[in-house]
Amino acid sequence: METRIEKIKQQLQSQGYKLTPQREATVRVLLENEQDHLSAEDVFMLVKDKAPEIGLATVYRTLELLSELHVLEKMNFGDGVARYDLRDDNSRHHHHHLICVQCGAVDEIMEDWLGPFEERLETEFNFQVLDHRLDFQGICYRCTERGKPASLDKSH
């Protein structure tokens, strides 16, 4: 964790920002809950435990700054709530998501299966892909195993 915090500190410094104690508390919460796709309010509630003096506006500003600096990716899974995901240092692209339309679970696909498609885009359209994100909406294995009725409208 300390290595990633140091890297984020360097990213901030390279853009003229400091890793303030409030920003560090926010980054630590994001690292500790990396698999959870936290909303700003979720982050605030968890940061408040570590730094009781921090305000919601400070957390929002920190999340926006980290998003602008590409430390975080700001996402919306169709529920109108912005969620934040740390970008993976080892991956050229962001990972992808499986979003359950019944229970709201979000699972991740860490592999990048779109390499051949990107090559085709470059060859056929002379288009250089810098990044992409792919979200699949459907019924997760948990809901399927519980036998929840699936009301799928495939007209989208």
Side-chain angles (χ1 to χ4, degrees), residues 7-59:
K7 184 169 185 349
I8 291 168
K9 180 180 180 179
Q10 290 171 2
Q11 284 177 271
L12 285 165
Q13 287 175 339
S14 73
Q15 298 294 317
Y17 297 98
K18 292 182 179 179
L19 184 62
T20 63
Q22 295 88 350
R23 289 176 181 159
E24 185 173 342
T26 302
V27 167
R28 285 187 183 279
V29 161
L30 290 163
L31 287 168
E32 290 166 0
N33 298 279
E34 207 166 349
Q35 302 303 315
D36 294 334
H37 305 99
L38 299 173
S39 69
E41 291 78 13
D42 295 334
V43 173
F44 172 67
M45 296 307 290
L46 293 167
V47 170
K48 197 105 175 101
D49 290 340
K50 294 177 181 299
E53 74 287 349
I54 199 165
L56 181 59
T58 301
V59 171

Side-chain angles (χ1 to χ4, degrees), residues 54-72:
I54 199 165
L56 181 59
T58 301
V59 171
Y60 270 111
R61 282 192 305 271
T62 299
L63 293 171
E64 286 304 311
L65 174 63
L66 294 173
S67 211
E68 288 170 20
L69 298 177
H70 303 289
V71 172
L72 295 177

Side-chain angles (χ1 to χ4, degrees), residues 114-125:
L114 298 179
F117 183 66
E118 286 183 7
E119 289 170 17
R120 239 181 110 185
L121 289 172
E122 190 163 342
T123 303
E124 293 179 27
F125 296 94

Side-chain angles (χ1 to χ4, degrees), residues 125-140:
F125 296 94
N126 195 24
F127 184 82
Q128 182 183 5
V129 176
L130 300 176
D131 201 357
H132 66 255
R133 196 177 105 213
L134 185 61
D135 297 333
F136 294 92
Q137 296 184 356
I139 310 299
C140 72

